[in-house]
Amino acid sequence: MSIQNEYLNGLMERVVKRDPAEPEFHQAVREVLTSLAPVANARPELIREGVMDCLVEPERTIKFRVPWEDDKGNIHVNRGFRVQFNSAIGPYKGGLRFHPSVNESIIKFLGFEQTFKNSLTGLPIGGGKGGSDFDPKGKSDAEVMRFCQSFMNELFKYIGPDTDVPAGDIGVGAREIGYLFGQYKRLSNEFTGVLTGKGLTYGGSLARKEATGYGLCYLADCLLKDGGKGFEGSTVVISGSGNVAIYACEKATQLGGKVVAMSDSNGYVYDKDGIDLPLIQQIKEIERGRIKEYAQRKAGAEYHEGCVNIWNVPCDIALPCATQNELPLEGAKALIQNGCFAVVEGANMPSTPDAMDALQEAGVLFAPSKAANAGGVAVSALEMSQNSMRFSWTFQEVDDRLKTIMTDLYHNAAQAAERFGMAGNLVAGANIAGFLKVADSMLAYGLV
Ligand code: GLU
């Protein structure tokens, strides 16, 4: 679909021309500008006052060298990033990703998406993202610790509890956050809520670990109910087996669904009896192993090479929870053919644009990541609140708040789509609702 506003079309061209080697960033911007065309048509001052131009340019990009020593004494040099995208409604907030695929385009697309997602939560958090092309896979704890300390030696200059609050993402979990927080604390001589996703003994929030996966299912539940469906009695396929996928599996099962497949970057497992989640957790969270071990240990389960083939597994509900562009057009076609009635995105931007179009055209209930996976960052914001108060809420209190946030978020996005003549289009609704709060704040500040 083209962008139905001449100015935004030109802006898109300028974005591509300015940074031609950033396809993921272009993809994220194109989707948002397409949704925003009716808003820009109705409110020309957004263009006149420079809001649209500022929106697609990060406030600041920090790029740095991260040298570290492995266990054999060899020196490695990785690249670190922090893109502070937009602080109109609060301190920059967003995860750190450690994965060999990380580059400026990936971090920019994630930071851009985060701006809208964070706004959608209704909480006062701006958008940012960071990470490194460091691969934690196969590294010892000591190597990961030395890397994290070196990464923080540089990053600490740019972050702070009221400036920029990083968290986890792919490759950054409780272990990494612990090393990063410890180093920040040492360098700054301050104990503050500068990172979220912390351990429970040093300022972490109950339910933060579960939040993205649980929130995903709470939002899916709203979407399914509106479509006359539900998790009860449905077959669910979840790609990925990291933090998002694991807790999506737990909640989808609690809500009455049967999860029959999960994956990692090498392949997927199919278990017709329903995934044994404690076994997945043992393999992935404790042993840091590969998913194929599940089939070796669980009678009746099958392992298939090639993660993208997971979409050929017949299901009612698909929850892509692995990574960007993991659900291509062929996958979407297979889901549609097999009667899948809902796709709810747990990873960031997991569907390619043509897959997203095909699913929506076929009438599949569809919730985009910036709405559906906002539960993680929402509970991160609740962790910040608890840290500021030097107080902590119970699991139940945080979980209740999360449920309310996801329900409100769903209705706000659905209403925004309706208001701009795109009823039922949650992609447009999420982009518009997330945008308006940020844009009105930017307008209030004038050109800064
Ligand atoms: N990385 C997560 C996301 O994509 C969480 C960010 C956070 O908690 O700050 O939203």
Side-chain angles (χ1 to χ4, degrees), residues 69-372:
E69 190 177 350
D70 69 22
D71 290 343
K72 296 194 183 99
N74 301 314
I75 304 299
H76 303 264
V77 178
N78 282 93
R79 188 169 277 178
F81 300 93
R82 186 70 180 167
V83 174
Q84 299 180 328
F85 220 104
N86 193 302
S87 63
I89 64 166
Y92 309 106
K93 181 83 197 85
L96 297 171
R97 177 177 292 191
F98 292 169
H99 191 271
S101 66
V102 163
N103 57 38
E104 205 163 325
S105 173
I106 301 272
I107 299 300
K108 269 175 78 180
F109 112 69
L110 289 164
F112 181 73
E113 292 278 293
Q114 198 83 43
T115 302
F116 301 89
K117 182 197 309 195
N118 293 4
S119 165
L120 278 169
T121 65
L123 300 165
I125 38 177
K129 201 87 186 191
S132 174
D133 56 3
F134 172 75
D135 187 0
K137 223 176 276 163
K139 305 289 189 297
S140 69
D141 286 350
E143 288 171 332
V144 170
M145 180 187 75
R146 288 194 292 274
F147 175 81
C148 288
Q149 291 175 341
S150 177
F151 186 86
M152 188 53 85
N153 283 345
E154 186 62 25
L155 186 69
F156 100 101
K157 302 167 191 167
Y158 309 101
I159 63 175
D162 294 312
T163 307
D164 183 355
V165 183
D169 195 81
I170 295 172
V172 178
R175 174 182 61 172
E176 290 74 17
I177 293 293
Y179 295 144
L180 291 164
F181 184 79
Q183 187 70 353
Y184 183 88
K185 188 170 77 59
R186 190 174 299 139
L187 291 166
S188 64
N189 196 29
E190 276 177 7
F191 195 110
T192 61
V194 69
L195 290 160
T196 60
K198 298 185 291 298
L200 296 176
T201 54
Y202 61 94
S205 173
L206 286 160
R208 174 60 188 90
K209 189 174 64 168
E210 293 83 355
T212 315
Y214 279 21
L216 181 70
C217 292
Y218 296 150
L219 186 126
D221 206 34
C222 296
L223 176 72
L224 290 165
K225 280 196 183 118
D226 262 4
K229 310 274 189 194
F231 272 108
E232 194 59 52
S234 64
T235 301
V236 184
V237 162
I238 302 180
S239 63
S241 47
N243 181 255
V244 181
I246 285 175
Y247 294 97
C249 177
E250 184 169 271
K251 188 51 78 178
T253 309
Q254 281 172 14
L255 293 172
K258 180 158 102 173
V259 180
V260 295
M262 290 180 82
S263 61
D264 65 16
S265 56
N266 295 115
Y268 72 92
V269 289
Y270 172 71
D271 189 340
K272 62 178 180 347
D273 301 323
I275 291 284
D276 175 350
L277 192 58
L279 180 54
I280 292 276
Q281 286 177 290
Q282 173 65 30
I283 295 167
K284 299 298 295 188
E285 287 182 335
I286 297 171
E287 297 169 21
R288 297 182 189 274
R290 304 304 293 166
I291 203 144
K292 76 164 163 234
E293 291 161 39
Y294 180 89
Q296 289 156 10
R297 297 193 212 171
K298 174 83 194 298
E302 302 164 11
Y303 175 71
H304 299 264
E305 281 291 334
C307 53
V308 79
N309 298 322
I310 193 171
W311 309 120
N312 296 329
V313 176
C315 67
D316 302 312
I317 299 168
L319 306 177
C321 295
T323 193
Q324 68 273 356
N325 292 327
E326 54 156 319
L327 172 51
L329 180 60
E330 305 79 71
K333 283 184 180 160
L335 288 171
I336 295 164
Q337 206 164 11
N338 288 329
C340 168
F341 56 68
V343 173
V344 184
E345 297 186 327
N348 288 311
M349 205 171 77
S351 310
T352 58
D354 50 2
M356 209 190 282
D357 288 346
L359 292 165
Q360 288 180 294
E361 273 159 31
V364 174
L365 299 168
F366 185 84
S369 52
K370 60 172 81 69

